[in-house]
Every structure is written in C-alpha cells, then in structure tokens.
Amino acid sequence: MTLQIRSLEQYHEAYRKSVEDPEGFWAEQASTFVWRKKWDSVLKNDFVTPDVQWFIGGKLNITENCLDRHIETRGDQIAIIWESNEAHEPSVKLTYRELLAEVNKCANALKAQGIGKGDRVCFYMPMIPQVAIAMLACARIGAIHSVVFAGFSANALAERIKDAQCKMVICSDYNRRGPKTIPVKSVVDEAISMGCDSVEKVLVYKSTGGKVKWDPNIDIWWHETVDNMGAECQAEVMDAEDMLFILYTSGSTGKPKGVVHTCGGYMVYTCYTFRNVFQYQDGDIYWCTADVGWITGHSYIIYGPLLAGATTMMFEGVPGHPDAGRFWHVCEKHRVNQFYTAPTAIRALMAAGWHAPEGYDLSSLKVIGSVGEPINEEAWHWYDEKVGHKRAPIVDTWWQTETGGIMITPLPHITDTKPCFASYPLPGVQPVLLDPNGVELEGNSVEGLLCIKYPWPSMLRTTYGDHERCRTNYFAAFHNMYFTGDGAKRDEDGRYRIIGRVDDVINVSGHRIGTAEVEDAINQHSGVVESAVVGYPHDIKGQGIYAYVKAHSEVVDEDHFRKEILDVVTKEIGPIAKPDKIQFVLQLPKTRSGKIMRRILRKIAEGQTDQLGDTSTLLNPECVEELKAGALE
Ligand code: 7RM
C-alpha cells in the first residue's frame, strides 16, 4: 500500500523529494502495488504534444490491487456498505471476498456476451453496489467503462454512447432518488433508438422491479446471467498505459469531451491521495456522498478506497430524504470516520436548519471533506462547527475530472486549515499561477491562472477519439503547462485559494456545465434566433444559469415560452442544465467581429449594472439599456 504522511516534517520531506526526484518518488509509491511485470521506465514527459506516460512497460490489473491482494489480509472485512434511499431499509454489506466473487461473476457474464479487452461499455446506473461491481468487472477483463450520470437525458446519453462506440450499456430498471422513481431503462431504450448502432446488448439490473419494455434480442437481465456465472475469473493483464475508463466532462466549447484515464498511473495516484488526504486508518468507515457518474465517485468511492483496503460507503439517496437529517443520521448509524461531500449539499443542509446536526452523534468523524466548487466562508464555518465540531478538520480538496485525483488540499491534523482555502499542493503536484501572457507570478500574495507545470501519474492522457482537442484545450494556452481553466490566489503563506472558472464553464451545484452546450440546446427551439448563457452567484447552487434569448418574433406569452425552453434543455441535456432565469432580448451585445460580449451579460446577470465598463466598442451599444431594463432579479 502506498506510503502515508503522518507529520508536517514528512509532508515537507515528501514534497521536496517529489520535486527533486519525481520519478524516484512515484516509483517508490508504485512499488507498493502488485504488478505482473515491473515497469521499464517511470515517465515519458512530453507536455507539449502532449504524450505523457507513467510506469512504461509495467503490466498489472487494477482489480487485483483493489480486491485479490486484500483477500489474505482482509478478506472478511467489509469493502462496501450500501445505504438505501429508504431510511428504514436495511444496509447491504459486502466483504472483500464477496465483492471479488461478485466482480468475477459479472466479468464472466460480460465475457459470455462477447465483451473483451478494449471494448467500451456505457453505464447508466443508480447508486447501487452493482455499479461498482460492474465497473470493476470491466476493469478485470480490460473493457473500458464510460459512466454517464443517470440524470442526463436520452439525447446526452446517446451522444456519449456514439462518441465512444460502446458495445454494451449497463443500466437498472428504475432509479430511486429521494421521493422520486426515475425510469432508467426507458431512457436507455430511447437513447439506443437514436442511432446507437454500436450497442449489441443492454444488461439490466432489477433494482425496483418496476415494469420495463423488453427486447429479447438486445436486453439481458442481470439476475439471469451474472448470478449463474462462476465466481472465478482470471484478470486480464493490462499495460500500465492501457485505457481504464472514459468519463465525459463539459468544457468551454462544443460537446462534452471524453477524458481518458489509464490503468497504472491512476491506480498509484488515487490510492496515494486517498490514504493521505483522508488519513485513512484500518477499520475506519469512509463515506463520500458523490454520484458515481462523476470523477469523485470513480476515484474516491470506488478505486481509491478499495485500493487502500478501506470500507467505503455508497448511498443511493439524496441529502434531503426523508429529511435534512439523513446525512447525519447515516454518519451516526455507521459511525462514519471520514465524510466527503460538496458545498452545495452543505449549503442546502445549512439552510434547512442551522442547529440541525446537533441532534445527532457525530463524534466518530475524524476528517470532513469538501469538493466540486469553491466553499463560501459561511458554509465553511458551519461545516467546521456543526459537523466537524472543530475536531475534525475540513479538507477543501481541489481537483478535476482531468486530474484524476486530488491535487491541492490540506492534510488533516498535519497542515493547517483556513476558510475557503484548498491550501497546499500534494506531493507530486507543482502548481503555478500565470498572468494572461503566460508569465509565471513568483512569490506569495498573487492571483492568476492556475496551471500545473509537471506531469502527475493520474493526469488525463487524451480526450477520446480527438487528441488534438486535448492539446488545444489543456496544453496549448501556455507552453509546457497543463492549464486548469481555473483562476486562483496564493496568500502570504503560500496557500492556494481557488476562485473559479475563467472559461465558459459554469459550476452548478458542483456539476460542470458548458455555456455553449446550454446555448446549443436552447437554440434547438424553433422560436429562438440565438442565445447567450452565463453564470451568476446562487445561494445554494453556487452558480445559477442565466440565459439571454433572442426570439424570432415578439414574445407574447413569456412564461409559456420559458417553459418550452426549459423543456428543450431538459430533453437535450437533462434537468441539471435548466436555466434559472431566462431574459428575452431584442439584441445580444456584439463586438465588431460578431462575438457576443459576455462580460457585459455576466455583469448584468450578477446585478452589477453599474460596472459594465467600456461598452463603446460594441457594434450595437444601444442594446445595453434594453438589457439593463429587462434584467431579472
Ligand atoms: C472533482 C471535480 C472541476 C472544477 C474545477 C473547479 C471546481 C473542484 C474545487 C473547485 C474550488 C474546490 N471535478 N472545483 N473542486 N473549486 N474549490 N475544492 O469537481 O471536473 O467535475 O470539476 O470544479 O472549477 O475546475 S470536475
């Protein structure tokens, strides 16, 4: 198992080593895993093309490290605790031994259906143990999983299936989320009918037992196949640089990109960061509330914890069901030691009752984490006092789908914490702040564009099917740098504070949404000429979506038109991308080259109409007064 830092001196020592001798540092971490063959060289460092490779020539299977190697030492320890959507339903517990058997059965079922090394398998699943089992089953046989968040629409699902040319879709019949039951299989059916010709089979897990449409040529029940398989399956021997998974994420332009992660580096980095950031000790109960459809679910519900031999909890439900005490009730019930959630959930629960957590026994908590978006000061203090009782430090962890694992974070009980600061880079992470011309801002008390200047093992390798897009998006802005898309500050002591995206990406409740995607969806409405979407501060969601819409003809019934636009967005992307506000306009502010001037639209959406700056360079400066007059509160 990777090494664990236990003191400030050890952190400084590890950091120093990771910069002076990165290859030696990561080789030492990597050597704590089971490899079928050791690597020939540690790193290929080409940050320009880019062509980064780690543990070159090494052979392994990540599931042997997640499962098999634990059997001897902790076979009967609980690997996964599952907590149902319904508070009164019993929890389900799987030991490492049981999990390995389930993964093998599922792996054998996938093989029997013709899935093999390199094939892509799409997931559209609720938060149930079978999603973890099937993801690991893919990894076991060398198939590549592409998990799509089950809140996305059939359109969005179809796009992702087609982009990765998935051979199989794994889904459930229905998905329970709080008081709602969502038809999952029928969304998959609809997506497949949209020309997903690559899909040969759909594997369906019966989760609720609700009625589904069935095509015996394509559809297979999990309980009729997986459950009948043998519980042994040889792990496929993978190259360290073979693809492990694809995960789609939104960028500032175009359609979501399929971020590609590979086996070796991702394994080493997620285990190392999990052990250190959460200071996980044997016997601890760890709970991350993310959905497995996001990178946080991949790295810190499944891979990181299982690699470290931890007990990881999966929660099917939502924070407010049956009431706003559910998280605290679950923490109390399972004596959770590490709790990891998103600021949007913290704010929602804070709004539901300042003193609410006081009714629960949270004394087991040793570390509490935050991820996904900047945490505001009020929420930080509430979390610190009401949940952590100033005993369990907050780890405000900054990272991205593309980074694969946590990059900047305090280390609990080791480094200090400061409200709203992600604080210090982990060993192996070399952040820099640049000015817009790419000049590095040296020293402390500076603010700039956050880049990383040296490769780390779990960085993205490419964007699926389009390497050029990976290069232009992340490696072309500044020479020999990975550009994160975030702005950040470094304080007088060298701590980092992440300010937020500097590109056209909005962070709504911790979900990344590209403004271009929402605009494309809105423009699908036949009554719309063009639209412009920006983010604005939102009390609970962090950012809300503000859409400016230019219609073909005068809008008579605004409310009706708004509803139609929301329906189009729900259909094209999913409910998470629905604009909070829609302002109908006669013109959008344009530059002389025809570009929409978003700066002005952002200021108006933020309610800062007195800070529009210079509008004289606009092609149509007269539109500004109309935009201001029509601004929505
Ligand atoms: C893990 C995840 C990535 C974007 C990133 C930031 C924002 C994430 C923090 C944060 C401030 C944090 N992956 N972000 N964590 N901002 N403080 N601790 O969220 O790919 O979905 O999003 O999220 O803007 O670029 S993600």
Side-chain angles (χ1 to χ4, degrees):
M1 213 174 292
T2 55
L3 310 173
Q4 198 168 39
I5 297 164
R6 300 309 300 273
S7 68
L8 191 57
E9 294 68 46
Q10 287 174 7
Y11 165 68
H12 287 307
E13 175 58 23
Y15 194 81
R16 191 188 51 75
K17 171 143 201 234
S18 78
V19 174
E20 283 172 7
D21 177 19
E23 297 189 28
F25 176 81
W26 286 116
E28 191 182 349
Q29 305 301 334
S31 61
T32 62
F33 293 87
V34 177
W35 295 80
R36 291 292 192 94
K37 173 184 169 289
K38 201 184 158 182
W39 54 91
D40 304 314
S41 60
V42 179
L43 171 66
K44 173 166 184 196
N45 176 2
D46 168 359
F47 240 26
V48 178
T49 310
D51 181 10
V52 172
Q53 298 178 34
W54 283 91
F55 312 115
I56 300 159
K59 304 277 182 197
L60 75 154
N61 187 291
I62 195 168
T63 70
E64 291 190 326
N65 285 283
C66 288
L67 302 169
D68 305 64
R69 77 158 157 165
H70 297 315
I71 297 304
E72 214 173 291
T73 50
R74 54 180 90 237
D76 297 319
Q77 182 202 304
I78 305 297
I80 295 178
I81 305 179
W82 176 76
E83 183 64 28
S84 159
N85 184 60
E86 306 308 326
H88 61 270
E89 278 183 14
S91 319
V92 171
K93 296 180 180 178
L94 284 168
T95 64
Y96 272 93
R97 201 184 309 284
E98 289 163 341
L99 181 59
L100 174 60
E102 291 305 314
V103 168
N104 282 342
K105 285 197 262 176
C106 184
N108 285 329
L110 296 180
K111 282 206 277 194
Q113 296 300 330
I115 301 295
K117 184 171 178 175
D119 289 335
R120 276 81 55 215
V121 177
C122 179
F123 284 63
Y124 193 73
M125 288 279 268
M127 286 293 290
I128 52 178
Q130 287 69 29
V131 69
I133 291 167
M135 285 164 74
L136 292 165
C138 283
R140 187 121 184 129
I141 64 171
I144 297 159
H145 54 74
S146 167
V147 183
V148 176
F149 174 59
F152 280 118
S153 69
N155 271 304
L157 175 61
E159 253 168 34
R160 288 158 176 76
I161 293 173
K162 285 185 219 169
D163 188 74
Q165 287 291 296
C166 295
K167 217 166 148 180
M168 179 184 262
V169 179
I170 304 184
C171 67
S172 60
D173 50 359
Y174 288 80
N175 175 7
R176 304 182 297 180
R177 274 184 77 74
K180 294 188 218 146
T181 301
I182 301 149
V184 172
K185 167 73 163 57
S186 76
V187 177
V188 172
D189 292 343
E190 196 187 338
I192 289 178
S193 75
M194 295 172 178
C196 294
D197 303 329
S198 60
V199 176
E200 293 170 9
K201 295 285 174 199
V202 177
L203 180 60
V204 190
Y205 181 77
K206 192 180 274 191
S207 180
T208 66
K211 220 173 130 47
V212 291
K213 250 181 57 196
W214 203 254
D215 177 349
N217 294 319
I218 298 180
D219 299 329
I220 327 158
W221 282 116
W222 177 291
H223 60 268
E224 289 178 2
T225 42
V226 177
D227 292 354
N228 300 330
M229 292 288 159
E232 265 165 45
C233 175
Q234 274 292 314
E236 188 75 30
V237 178
M238 305 294 283
D239 194 276
E241 281 298 325
D242 278 339
M243 244 182 243
L244 175 63
F245 66 86
I246 304 170
L247 186 60
Y248 285 84
T249 192
S250 294
S252 49
T253 54
K255 301 265 175 229
K257 311 178 274 283
V259 168
V260 170
H261 285 289
T262 56
C263 297
Y266 180 82
M267 171 180 80
V268 172
Y269 196 82
T270 53
C271 183
Y272 178 75
T273 52
F274 172 76
R275 297 234 318 137
N276 282 294
V277 175
F278 299 102
Q279 286 292 304
Y280 187 88
Q281 305 299 321
D282 265 350
D284 283 349
I285 308 290
Y286 163 87
W287 181 21
C288 166
T289 70
D291 191 282
V292 78
W294 312 113
I295 189 71
T296 307
H298 284 60
S299 303
Y300 298 110
I301 295 178
I302 301 183
Y303 287 109
L306 295 178
L307 286 162
T311 298
T312 176
M313 189 149 71
M314 276 182 90
F315 175 48
E316 183 184 32
V318 295
H321 179 77
D323 57 52
R326 186 70 195 277
F327 275 4
W328 320 131
H329 177 73
V330 173
C331 285
E332 176 182 272
K333 175 176 168 191
H334 294 284
R335 303 293 297 157
V336 169
N337 301 110
Q338 292 89 3
F339 176 72
Y340 191 29
T341 195
T344 190
I346 297 169
R347 287 189 297 265
L349 296 176
M350 180 172 84
W354 189 264
H355 295 284
E358 284 170 8
Y360 300 87
D361 178 4
L362 300 178
S363 61
S364 57
L365 292 174
K366 296 195 278 190
V367 179
I368 55 178
S370 171
V371 61
E373 48 175 325
I375 178 166
N376 51 304
E377 190 135 9
E378 192 191 14
W380 195 95
H381 284 295
W382 182 81
Y383 199 32
D384 189 40
E385 284 167 29
K386 296 292 161 192
V387 181
H389 292 114
K390 290 183 171 282
R391 247 191 344 257
I394 298 177
V395 287
D396 176 358
T397 63
W398 174 85
W399 58 296
Q400 309 177 297
T401 307
E402 294 85 344
T403 69
I406 297 168
M407 303 286 278
I408 303 182
T409 177
L411 290 177
H413 306 289
I414 293 172
T415 64
D416 54 17
T417 61
K418 180 174 172 182
C420 313
F421 279 76
S423 298
Y424 306 105
L426 284 172
V429 176
Q430 299 188 35
V432 288
L433 298 178
L434 304 184
D435 78 3
N437 300 317
V439 177
E440 183 172 342
L441 303 168
E442 311 259 2
N444 288 337
S445 307
V446 289
E447 174 174 343
L449 302 167
L450 179 62
C451 292
I452 313 289
K453 70 172 174 194
Y454 198 85
W456 64 101
S458 66
M459 58 178 280
L460 85 163
R461 299 301 194 262
T462 188
T463 45
Y464 192 79
D466 193 350
H467 193 63
E468 176 58 12
R469 195 159 172 216
C470 171
R471 192 187 68 78
T472 53
N473 258 292
Y474 306 107
F475 297 90
F478 305 108
H479 179 69
N480 226 356
M481 296 274 174
Y482 167 79
F483 176 44
T484 66
D486 282 322
K489 276 183 192 172
R490 198 158 50 219
D491 77 358
E492 59 287 356
D493 300 312
R495 294 182 201 89
Y496 286 86
R497 174 177 188 159
I498 312 301
I499 298 160
R501 305 291 304 195
V502 295
D503 53 8
D504 292 318
V505 172
I506 321 183
N507 196 323
V508 183
S509 303
H511 301 162
R512 266 168 75 166
I513 297 171
T515 55
E517 273 176 86
V518 185
E519 290 163 8
D520 287 348
I522 294 174
N523 299 348
Q524 294 290 312
H525 190 293
S526 58
V528 172
V529 180
E530 60 175 348
S531 59
V533 165
V534 297
Y536 71 96
H538 186 288
D539 282 349
I540 304 283
K541 299 180 182 182
Q543 280 191 297
I545 303 178
Y546 195 119
Y548 297 87
V549 174
K550 178 176 169 180
H552 273 295
S553 52
E554 196 193 337
V555 181
V556 184
D557 186 345
E558 288 202 351
D559 283 344
H560 180 73
F561 200 178
R562 281 200 183 95
K563 189 181 169 303
E564 286 186 353
I565 289 172
L566 296 183
D567 288 346
V568 175
V569 173
T570 304
K571 182 168 162 285
E572 294 292 323
I573 307 173
I576 55 174
K578 282 198 293 194
D580 299 274
K581 297 180 184 177
I582 299 173
Q583 179 180 347
F584 294 104
V585 301
L586 296 174
Q587 289 182 63
L588 290 168
K590 298 268 176 88
T591 64
R592 287 180 202 283
S593 60
K595 277 202 189 130
I596 296 171
M597 219 199 243
R598 287 167 186 281
R599 178 175 55 84
I600 292 175
L601 296 176
R602 258 185 234 121
K603 287 286 175 201
I604 293 174
E606 287 166 4
Q608 300 181 329
T609 45
D610 53 334
Q611 291 174 35
L612 297 187
D614 185 13
T615 57
S616 63
T617 56
L618 286 174
L619 188 65
N620 51 351
E622 71 284 358
C623 76
V624 173
E625 284 313 311
E626 183 229 327
L627 288 168
K628 278 161 62 173
L632 300 168
E633 282 284 309

